[in-house]
Amino acid sequence: MHSHDLVESLRRALRGEVRGDQVARQQFASDASIYRIEPLAVAFPRDADDVSAAVEVAAAHGVPVLARGAGTSLAGQTVAAAVVLDFSRHMHALLAVDAAHQVARVQPGLVQDDLNRAVARHGLMFAPDTSTANRATLGGMIGNNSCGMRSARYGMTIDHVATVEVVLSDGSRAHLRATADDEIAARARGTTLEANLYRELPALISRHDAAIRRDMPPFWRRSGGYRLERMLPDRGPFNLANLVVGSEGTLALVTEATVRLVPTPKHVVAVAGHFHTVSEAIAATTDAQACDAAAIELVDHFILDLSRRSPMHRDVVSFLDGSPGALLFVEFYGDTVDEASAQADRLTTLWRSHGHGYAALRADTPATLKRFRELRASGQGLLLAAGQGGKRSIAFVEDTAVDPSRLVEYCERFASLLRGFHLEAGFYGHASAGCMHVRPFMDLSRPAEVATMRAVAEGVLALVTEFGGNNSSEHGDGLVRSEFNPRIHGAEVYGVMREVKGLFDPHHRLNPGKKVDAPPMTSHLRDQGRHAPVPIATHFASLADGGMYANANGCARIGQCRKSPGAGATMCPSYMATRDEQHATRGRAMALAEALRSPDPRAALGDGRLRESLDLCLECKACATECPLGVDMATLKSEVLAQVQAVEGTSWRTRFFGHARTLNAMGSAVAPLANAISQWRPVRAVMERALGIDRRRPLPVFAPETLSQWFARRATTRQRGAPAGTVAFFADSFTNYTEPQIGQAAIELLELAGHDVILVDDVCCGRSLISKGMLDHARARHTALAERLYPLAAAGVPIVGVEPSCLFTLRDELVTLGAAPDKAPAIAARVQLVESLLLEAIDAGRLSLTSRERRDILFHPHCHQKAASAVEPTAQLLQRIGGARVDVLDAGCCGMAGSFGFEHEHYDISMQVGELRLLPTVRAAPGAIIAATGVSCRQQVAHGTGRDAIHPLKLVHACVET
């Protein structure tokens, strides 16, 4: 049966979307592992009926089915030549919470952190805590039997799943739960697949009882194979859910689960022990266990050194004492702070008496505890970003665990094994559970290194077996470890596992090749045997090293861009609004990388489906900083648009939006007429049809007097020869033509602070041209810009502005587009927000702020300001206003993104993004002042809430002591 027929059959049977195009298949061909297999089709089921229908259609077409959540699997569980069912898009509800019985009913696509935020008001939480908690789904955790840093106290996911609703391999539905012996007999009657399970499985387990007890790996932290030992009669009531948990979707598809919750710790105190070596740190875990620690986490010097070099993490490690060779993070829980602190005191006393470590820092506030946890959680991203020369941090032996009492010797032997192959790796993980994550740096595009990978895997398997541990302790088997299950579990137990698979899935339709009957671990490697991409000359110098492909393919597929809206992140706003993989940075990057691999990449870049995926990128730039690999999708999108326009030409509509400065200047020149005409309904209707400007979106109002005109009018009265020196104020298009009052406030504040201000209003940053891919035009603007600003920068004059998107273009694209390579770096080095100079003036006593009333200020920073790590000066300046209480919102992107929110095809998604966090937060604070640095953000707030958002400098200007 052809794939087209399969897709059409699925579309007829399902209410949810179905995609079979090449771009969609490419976007689901990889997960966070080293593997790649292109699926046959991708479906987004809306409910359990859709799941049943998909399984039935797949069976009719003789093809497999694969369940998928966030696609963060490290072992290759979620790639297969199958119909992929993405549960994360629609089936993500928290169905019910029973706080009295401490349980919750969840759909499989619900994100772990979203569940915990929802049940926190009951003082409860879901105990397993993966490092990917802000995007990992409950279905994925059930499939992998995930755990996390608190597993020594709370166990694994299997310990917290009470019941599951599933679709079986024939499309039938079943409710799996603890079942009494007499009920087993009743359920075994009939000819259904479920009845056959209750009839055959008890007898199967009974026949091999001795082998299961003898040969299953003894250590408790285990996600490999099927949990047969949980089915033994002395392990509690017969419960088929115990087999489904950790089965990686090979036995049944979970459509709903009832999970157990635990009380949230009332108080947490943490200790960061500093040690000279990893062995010393591990040796100190015994004392931590004796003090009833809830979590004991290890980070070695390799990751600490990477943190110091990372712009995103260097502040997190700034609290460390010296340069430890390893850290041990230990958390204690208590009903009171004193109780948790007493446990921490006991630990530090034991460490001193036993000579463990040279320093121990305390975290007993939420802020310091957050820093501790961020450093621990940063390991995977830091290691991935550290790869060089084609080498990546490879997850293939990162999931072993041994009894903590033997961890020191085990890690020493492990390190020795790696040295024997001349491999470098960092060590970090869950010392309390004997689980170390070890990811050697390798280049798997080289056949010799693939052979080395297998040899290392074999060596680690022998080592972990010798130590009585587990080869897979929380990340599952997938493609990387399933091959070794016969050797881990022995012939008889492995045979039982194959029989279990056969009973649940007689035709091997559910995620075949995982857990049992697996291909070699070296099959389906995503970097092996693929031809090199055809190089394309790029406009951006930042893409020249390796080209567009290297940047797009730099995506490690770990799904940081899929954070839930409540996670306090900006990346990726359109994914947060749609929950659609094609609108995540990861989905875009994978589709783009595949297009660039095609024989004719220029033609592939013009593919309609690729354009659809890139279209909703709001170019917020969050990916450039929040993505551990720095996949810069804003830059890539601009480059793709430029490449496509070079082939197809530039549409007049693109030119219209790209030349925003010219339009603003023209409108301002006839402001009264332009403002009146633009509000006329027939004109708005024509603008929507001809230009695509949505009639629902209010248009900017042109100022009757521009900033340039105001500045020239008062030229004879303003201060000169000021003691603080000269500053150049960059007048962007919006500040000059639509909101000059902000520029006026900024200039007057700078003058009051002792500066002589030069107005730069005759050049453009080209921001709108860059956004629309008109890069040759932007470079021409940059040439003029550099000529104008370079003499000032060379003289040491600060270059300031108030609109982040325009100002930080001088720091970013002015350099990367390469129009003036001899001048741009000097200009970029002098660029800063006005707020930075005002803070200096306040500290020097040249400027004072006050207020007669107490003010609550909600401050929403612009996305580009966040990406430039420049939020703090504005926040600090607002906090200097007397009586001000400032809340810096983590509301992500406002959804406007320049012209994006004005365009008819984008209006709805623009409002959806605003409604994720920003607009509801503004509505919930009716008494607060709303401050926003971006002109787009202020427009969105006004349109979405009816409230005015004020630029912070206008608030500051109103509070100046004169």
mmCIF file of all heavy atoms in Angstrom, residues 27 39 60 128 169 324 363 415 510 557 607 609 629 743 799 844 857 889 905 919:
data_model
loop_
_atom_site.group_PDB
_atom_site.id
_atom_site.type_symbol
_atom_site.label_atom_id
_atom_site.label_comp_id
_atom_site.label_asym_id
_atom_site.label_seq_id
_atom_site.Cartn_x
_atom_site.Cartn_y
_atom_site.Cartn_z
ATOM 1 N N GLN A 27 10.725 16.054 10.303
ATOM 2 C CA GLN A 27 10.675 16.672 11.629
ATOM 3 C C GLN A 27 10.482 15.657 12.742
ATOM 4 O O GLN A 27 10.793 15.937 13.901
ATOM 5 C CB GLN A 27 9.563 17.721 11.659
ATOM 6 C CG GLN A 27 9.914 18.967 10.853
ATOM 7 C CD GLN A 27 8.733 19.891 10.665
ATOM 8 O OE1 GLN A 27 7.583 19.456 10.625
ATOM 9 N NE2 GLN A 27 8.997 21.181 10.545
ATOM 10 N N PRO A 39 9.602 8.444 9.615
ATOM 11 C CA PRO A 39 8.314 7.755 9.790
ATOM 12 C C PRO A 39 7.533 7.705 8.489
ATOM 13 O O PRO A 39 7.864 8.375 7.509
ATOM 14 C CB PRO A 39 7.605 8.619 10.831
ATOM 15 C CG PRO A 39 8.185 9.981 10.653
ATOM 16 C CD PRO A 39 9.622 9.775 10.256
ATOM 17 N N ALA A 60 -4.526 -2.408 9.165
ATOM 18 C CA ALA A 60 -5.077 -2.706 7.854
ATOM 19 C C ALA A 60 -4.049 -2.509 6.747
ATOM 20 O O ALA A 60 -4.086 -3.190 5.719
ATOM 21 C CB ALA A 60 -6.304 -1.832 7.592
ATOM 22 N N PRO A 128 8.616 11.727 40.588
ATOM 23 C CA PRO A 128 9.717 11.593 39.625
ATOM 24 C C PRO A 128 10.014 12.942 38.964
ATOM 25 O O PRO A 128 9.096 13.670 38.577
ATOM 26 C CB PRO A 128 9.180 10.580 38.612
ATOM 27 C CG PRO A 128 8.186 9.772 39.392
ATOM 28 C CD PRO A 128 7.542 10.757 40.327
ATOM 29 N N SER A 169 -2.864 -3.549 20.738
ATOM 30 C CA SER A 169 -2.323 -3.624 19.381
ATOM 31 C C SER A 169 -3.362 -3.918 18.313
ATOM 32 O O SER A 169 -3.108 -3.724 17.127
ATOM 33 C CB SER A 169 -1.213 -4.674 19.318
ATOM 34 O OG SER A 169 -1.734 -5.961 19.599
ATOM 35 N N PRO A 324 36.635 23.646 42.324
ATOM 36 C CA PRO A 324 36.529 22.237 42.755
ATOM 37 C C PRO A 324 36.637 21.270 41.593
ATOM 38 O O PRO A 324 36.240 21.571 40.467
ATOM 39 C CB PRO A 324 35.138 22.181 43.407
ATOM 40 C CG PRO A 324 34.376 23.297 42.780
ATOM 41 C CD PRO A 324 35.377 24.381 42.517
ATOM 42 N N ALA A 363 22.393 26.526 50.724
ATOM 43 C CA ALA A 363 21.296 27.177 50.002
ATOM 44 C C ALA A 363 20.027 26.973 50.812
ATOM 45 O O ALA A 363 19.508 25.867 50.878
ATOM 46 C CB ALA A 363 21.135 26.606 48.600
ATOM 47 N N ALA A 415 36.211 5.399 34.012
ATOM 48 C CA ALA A 415 37.116 6.416 33.477
ATOM 49 C C ALA A 415 38.341 5.786 32.842
ATOM 50 O O ALA A 415 38.832 6.240 31.797
ATOM 51 C CB ALA A 415 37.515 7.382 34.587
ATOM 52 N N LEU A 510 3.582 -2.554 17.423
ATOM 53 C CA LEU A 510 3.818 -1.430 18.328
ATOM 54 C C LEU A 510 5.311 -1.229 18.553
ATOM 55 O O LEU A 510 5.982 -2.059 19.169
ATOM 56 C CB LEU A 510 3.107 -1.662 19.667
ATOM 57 C CG LEU A 510 1.581 -1.855 19.592
ATOM 58 C CD1 LEU A 510 0.999 -2.003 20.996
ATOM 59 C CD2 LEU A 510 0.899 -0.712 18.846
ATOM 60 N N ARG A 557 18.324 18.124 19.256
ATOM 61 C CA ARG A 557 16.998 17.496 19.352
ATOM 62 C C ARG A 557 16.530 17.260 20.779
ATOM 63 O O ARG A 557 15.638 16.451 21.023
ATOM 64 C CB ARG A 557 16.945 16.154 18.610
ATOM 65 C CG ARG A 557 16.895 16.225 17.093
ATOM 66 C CD ARG A 557 18.197 16.493 16.455
ATOM 67 N NE ARG A 557 18.184 16.111 15.026
ATOM 68 C CZ ARG A 557 19.171 16.380 14.199
ATOM 69 N NH1 ARG A 557 20.235 17.045 14.634
ATOM 70 N NH2 ARG A 557 19.099 16.006 12.940
ATOM 71 N N ASP A 607 10.451 25.180 -0.858
ATOM 72 C CA ASP A 607 9.340 24.247 -0.666
ATOM 73 C C ASP A 607 8.258 24.873 0.213
ATOM 74 O O ASP A 607 8.539 25.482 1.242
ATOM 75 C CB ASP A 607 9.862 22.964 -0.010
ATOM 76 C CG ASP A 607 8.753 21.987 0.275
ATOM 77 O OD1 ASP A 607 8.332 21.286 -0.651
ATOM 78 O OD2 ASP A 607 8.292 21.938 1.438
ATOM 79 N N ARG A 609 6.000 23.608 2.217
ATOM 80 C CA ARG A 609 5.866 23.116 3.595
ATOM 81 C C ARG A 609 6.996 23.630 4.474
ATOM 82 O O ARG A 609 6.783 23.911 5.660
ATOM 83 C CB ARG A 609 5.838 21.587 3.588
ATOM 84 C CG ARG A 609 4.490 21.034 3.209
ATOM 85 C CD ARG A 609 3.447 21.228 4.312
ATOM 86 N NE ARG A 609 3.740 20.371 5.455
ATOM 87 C CZ ARG A 609 4.141 20.797 6.648
ATOM 88 N NH1 ARG A 609 4.276 22.085 6.900
ATOM 89 N NH2 ARG A 609 4.405 19.952 7.613
ATOM 90 N N LEU A 629 22.615 24.746 22.082
ATOM 91 C CA LEU A 629 23.493 24.707 20.922
ATOM 92 C C LEU A 629 23.476 26.023 20.156
ATOM 93 O O LEU A 629 24.173 26.157 19.143
ATOM 94 C CB LEU A 629 23.093 23.573 19.982
ATOM 95 C CG LEU A 629 23.595 22.159 20.334
ATOM 96 C CD1 LEU A 629 25.105 22.096 20.311
ATOM 97 C CD2 LEU A 629 23.051 21.673 21.663
ATOM 98 N N GLY A 743 11.712 59.251 23.221
ATOM 99 C CA GLY A 743 13.031 59.786 22.928
ATOM 100 C C GLY A 743 13.285 61.093 23.663
ATOM 101 O O GLY A 743 14.404 61.338 24.153
ATOM 102 N N ILE A 799 26.853 54.717 22.386
ATOM 103 C CA ILE A 799 25.751 54.777 21.434
ATOM 104 C C ILE A 799 24.550 54.145 22.110
ATOM 105 O O ILE A 799 24.556 52.947 22.418
ATOM 106 C CB ILE A 799 26.099 54.037 20.139
ATOM 107 C CG1 ILE A 799 27.340 54.667 19.490
ATOM 108 C CG2 ILE A 799 24.924 54.053 19.168
ATOM 109 C CD1 ILE A 799 27.924 53.849 18.362
ATOM 110 N N ALA A 844 26.690 57.857 40.772
ATOM 111 C CA ALA A 844 27.674 58.938 40.919
ATOM 112 C C ALA A 844 27.077 60.176 41.562
ATOM 113 O O ALA A 844 27.795 61.170 41.777
ATOM 114 C CB ALA A 844 28.252 59.285 39.547
ATOM 115 N N ILE A 857 4.973 47.988 39.766
ATOM 116 C CA ILE A 857 5.301 48.072 38.347
ATOM 117 C C ILE A 857 5.513 46.669 37.794
ATOM 118 O O ILE A 857 6.348 45.917 38.307
ATOM 119 C CB ILE A 857 6.579 48.915 38.113
ATOM 120 C CG1 ILE A 857 6.390 50.329 38.645
ATOM 121 C CG2 ILE A 857 6.938 48.936 36.631
ATOM 122 C CD1 ILE A 857 7.652 51.177 38.576
ATOM 123 N N LEU A 889 8.416 40.470 34.541
ATOM 124 C CA LEU A 889 7.600 39.370 34.062
ATOM 125 C C LEU A 889 8.435 38.380 33.254
ATOM 126 O O LEU A 889 9.294 38.777 32.469
ATOM 127 C CB LEU A 889 6.461 39.903 33.187
ATOM 128 C CG LEU A 889 5.503 40.899 33.842
ATOM 129 C CD1 LEU A 889 4.412 41.294 32.852
ATOM 130 C CD2 LEU A 889 4.878 40.313 35.092
ATOM 131 N N GLU A 905 -2.603 36.923 8.072
ATOM 132 C CA GLU A 905 -2.439 35.485 8.280
ATOM 133 C C GLU A 905 -1.793 35.160 9.616
ATOM 134 O O GLU A 905 -1.786 34.000 10.046
ATOM 135 C CB GLU A 905 -1.625 34.861 7.138
ATOM 136 C CG GLU A 905 -0.172 35.320 7.079
ATOM 137 C CD GLU A 905 0.036 36.548 6.208
ATOM 138 O OE1 GLU A 905 -0.925 37.344 6.068
ATOM 139 O OE2 GLU A 905 1.133 36.721 5.676
ATOM 140 N N LEU A 919 -0.827 38.891 28.407
ATOM 141 C CA LEU A 919 -2.096 39.606 28.521
ATOM 142 C C LEU A 919 -2.891 39.185 29.761
ATOM 143 O O LEU A 919 -3.429 40.049 30.466
ATOM 144 C CB LEU A 919 -2.909 39.417 27.241
ATOM 145 C CG LEU A 919 -2.219 39.921 25.958
ATOM 146 C CD1 LEU A 919 -3.131 39.725 24.749
ATOM 147 C CD2 LEU A 919 -1.795 41.371 26.093
#
